Amino acid sequence: MATSYLIRSVTQSCKLGLRFNPTVNSNAYIFHPSTSIVQISFSRTYVSFVNKVTADQLWSGVTSVSNAGKKRGRGRSVKKRLDLNRGQRLGVGKSEMVFPGLTGPAMTGKKILEVYQPKKDESAEAASAQKKVPERKRRFPKIPALLRGYSGRKFPGTSIGPPDPINDYVFNGFDSKVLEYKIVNHMTGNLGRKARISALVVTGNGNGLAGFAVAKAATGKAALRKAKNMAAQRLQYFERYQNHTVFHNFAVTESKTTIFVQKKPAGHGVVAHRVIKTMCELIGIKDLYAKTEGQTGIIQNVTKAFFKGLMEQETHQQLADRMQLNVVEYRPEMENVPIPVAKPSQGFSRPDPVKEEAFDFNNLYYKDGRIPLKKYVDPDLQFKLPSTLRYFLNQHKHRNQRHARYLRHVHGLEPSPEEVKFRQKPLK
């Protein structure tokens, strides 16, 4: 710290016998009985790094890293530059006052300005200048509500469009959706810890053709584009039963993730993990129930397990050829009448008897003897509650009607729809 002294002499020097009278500020005045006056003024000027270094230089010293440090991956935890004036708008209000030195110039030529209220044209210029200030970038881009995925404003669940064309082939009718988007790090010997973006994308046309891929890149946009194009080169076709569901129930395991998939009738919808629902939408499966067990938070294992289960499923014709038996289907909406869906290719079934418990179609494709847990339903529950007992008595008059209708279907005694309408007409 240095101190400078300023001495201003008004008249010639005087004799001794001076009187000291301190006044305001840091000035010392010396008076003499004679008319001669000598004025000595002391003013201090503080010199430090704050006066010598600019704000940009101070921030660069705090937030910057040397080139050698950048090559070795240092400086990742260095603080970013902060806007100390954020949220402080001086001179902005209903009166739109201007404070010289804060919100406007302090001097015009040699004249020092005072606090004043600008005219309309000056306020318009200030408003236009304020509009030109760039807005602060959002951490996540603003996405319309109908285009958001199951994770809100983040990438998982959002659509990123069809894959890029390959030569003359264009992926018409395809769509791609992000299943996983995260930052991954790995340690290198020269550059230290290196971060990249990992993206898991599934693409499909909604008609049985779909594929998935995982890609990594330095930026998120490059990782999404790379994963989308890689998924388009790994397409697989999945057989669907009547183009709306799977052929049979199955269980599949990938690492520590297990998925139990159940076949459902039309109109049931997809009741499953949100990742499985997204894949079903791109594959074209409309009715399904899936229960996941184990590590359900590892998205890549869930994706691999579901694709693996769809590839391993067996069609009805393949089942008939393997078992050399006719395959029939029972539907509740068809009064559980057996409907043949496939028969052996050789034209006849095997003559030897088959044990019934070995061919439980619902549990046929569950491996290792594992089946999904079903809650026990007390058969006498309807007689324990007054409401259910009342319902049972109201439905008692319709007992055995479904079985009787089934027998009429089998023996051809069920009237046609036209006959039913004729019988419902009133008598004349």
Side-chain angles (χ1 to χ4, degrees):
M1 184 182 301
T3 305
S4 61
Y5 299 93
L6 177 62
I7 303 177
R8 292 179 296 174
S9 89
V10 180
T11 59
Q12 298 178 358
S13 59
C14 305
K15 301 178 181 180
L16 296 176
L18 305 179
R19 180 171 54 88
F20 175 73
N21 183 17
T23 59
V24 295
N25 299 331
S26 60
N27 299 326
Y29 297 93
I30 302 176
F31 296 96
H32 191 267
S34 66
T35 57
S36 306
I37 299 176
V38 177
Q39 181 181 1
I40 303 176
S41 175
F42 300 93
S43 63
R44 292 186 177 183
T45 303
Y46 298 95
V47 180
S48 64
F49 71 94
V50 179
N51 295 346
K52 291 185 177 181
V53 185
T54 62
D56 295 335
Q57 294 174 348
L58 290 174
W59 277 114
S60 63
V62 176
T63 60
S64 63
V65 184
S66 63
N67 294 332
K70 290 180 181 179
K71 291 182 180 180
R72 300 185 183 278
R74 298 174 185 167
R76 299 185 181 275
S77 60
V78 175
K79 295 183 178 180
K80 297 182 180 179
R81 180 169 180 171
L82 302 178
D83 185 7
L84 302 179
N85 296 325
R86 180 184 174 188
Q88 300 179 7
R89 296 183 180 180
L90 299 177
V92 178
K94 293 183 179 180
S95 60
E96 299 182 355
M97 301 298 295
V98 176
F99 295 90
L102 294 177
T103 60
M107 300 180 65
T108 56
K110 296 182 179 180
K111 181 181 179 181
I112 300 177
L113 298 180
E114 297 180 354
V115 178
Y116 68 98
Q117 185 175 4
K119 298 180 181 180
K120 293 184 179 180
D121 53 350
E122 295 181 2
S123 61
E125 293 179 0
S128 61
Q130 186 178 1
K131 291 182 180 178
K132 294 180 181 179
V133 176
E135 295 183 358
R136 180 171 167 268
K137 292 184 178 180
R138 297 176 178 269
R139 183 178 179 185
F140 300 106
K142 188 175 182 180
I143 303 174
L146 297 179
L147 299 180
R148 295 174 189 169
Y150 51 75
S151 59
R153 295 172 181 261
K154 298 182 181 180
F155 278 109
T158 58
S159 175
I160 56 176
D164 298 337
I166 300 177
N167 296 332
D168 296 337
Y169 184 80
V170 181
F171 294 89
N172 293 326
F174 278 77
D175 191 16
S176 304
K177 290 195 174 183
V178 184
L179 299 184
E180 189 179 36
Y181 183 88
K182 62 183 180 180
I183 300 176
V184 294
N185 295 272
H186 73 282
M187 189 68 68
T188 61
N190 186 23
L191 301 179
R193 181 178 286 104
K194 187 176 180 180
R196 292 189 297 173
I197 304 297
S198 174
L200 171 60
V201 177
V202 59
T203 183
N205 62 350
N207 197 21
L209 198 62
F212 73 96
V214 182
K216 300 174 184 177
T219 60
K221 187 176 181 179
L224 294 174
R225 179 179 53 81
K226 185 177 178 182
K228 177 176 63 175
N229 296 334
M230 288 176 60
Q233 299 176 4
R234 302 176 182 180
L235 296 177
Q236 307 176 43
Y237 183 75
F238 303 103
E239 294 285 350
R240 295 167 297 154
Y241 178 66
Q242 295 183 352
N243 295 330
H244 76 94
T245 186
V246 295
F247 279 91
H248 52 77
N249 302 346
F250 63 85
V252 61
T253 302
E254 179 68 27
S255 185
K256 295 183 180 181
T257 303
T258 303
I259 304 177
F260 292 94
V261 178
Q262 294 182 7
K263 174 184 176 182
K264 291 298 178 180
H268 178 273
V270 178
V271 181
H273 193 283
R274 60 186 185 180
V275 173
I276 298 179
K277 291 181 69 174
T278 304
M279 290 187 288
C280 290
E281 179 182 352
L282 297 176
I283 294 172
I285 298 176
K286 304 174 183 178
D287 306 289
L288 186 78
Y289 173 79
K291 186 177 185 297
T292 55
E293 292 183 356
Q295 295 180 349
T296 59
I298 302 180
I299 307 303
Q300 294 187 17
N301 287 346
V302 176
T303 306
K304 293 177 184 178
F306 188 68
F307 270 76
K308 179 182 176 182
L310 292 180
M311 288 299 297
E312 292 179 351
Q313 68 175 341
E314 195 173 29
T315 63
H316 293 159
Q317 185 60 45
Q318 293 173 351
L319 177 63
D321 294 340
R322 181 170 63 87
M323 295 294 184
Q324 297 182 3
L325 294 172
N326 296 322
V327 180
V328 297
E329 184 181 17
Y330 297 90
R331 294 188 189 177
E333 64 270 17
M334 299 297 293
E335 303 298 336
N336 289 327
V337 177
I339 302 173
V341 294
K343 60 181 180 179
S345 300
Q346 63 268 22
F348 59 91
S349 59
R350 61 183 185 184
D352 55 314
V354 180
K355 293 183 179 180
E356 189 66 24
E357 60 269 14
F359 289 92
D360 186 0
F361 186 74
N362 292 331
N363 301 333
L364 183 62
Y365 295 94
Y366 289 146
K367 299 179 181 180
D368 301 330
R370 296 189 61 190
I371 59 176
L373 178 63
K374 295 183 179 180
K375 295 183 179 180
Y376 173 74
V377 179
D378 190 356
D380 298 331
L381 182 62
Q382 58 181 351
F383 302 106
K384 294 181 180 179
L385 298 177
S387 59
T388 55
L389 179 59
R390 193 161 48 247
Y391 175 79
F392 172 76
L393 295 177
N394 292 335
Q395 298 294 328
H396 185 64
K397 58 184 178 181
H398 302 296
R399 66 189 185 281
N400 297 332
Q401 290 297 319
R402 300 184 67 178
H403 182 65
R405 190 177 180 186
Y406 162 70
L407 294 177
R408 291 197 300 269
H409 272 291
V410 171
H411 297 286
L413 301 177
E414 181 68 14
S416 62
E418 292 78 8
E419 181 68 19
V420 172
K421 292 181 180 180
F422 178 77
R423 292 181 183 182
Q424 291 177 352
K425 290 182 179 180
L427 297 176
K428 294 183 180 180

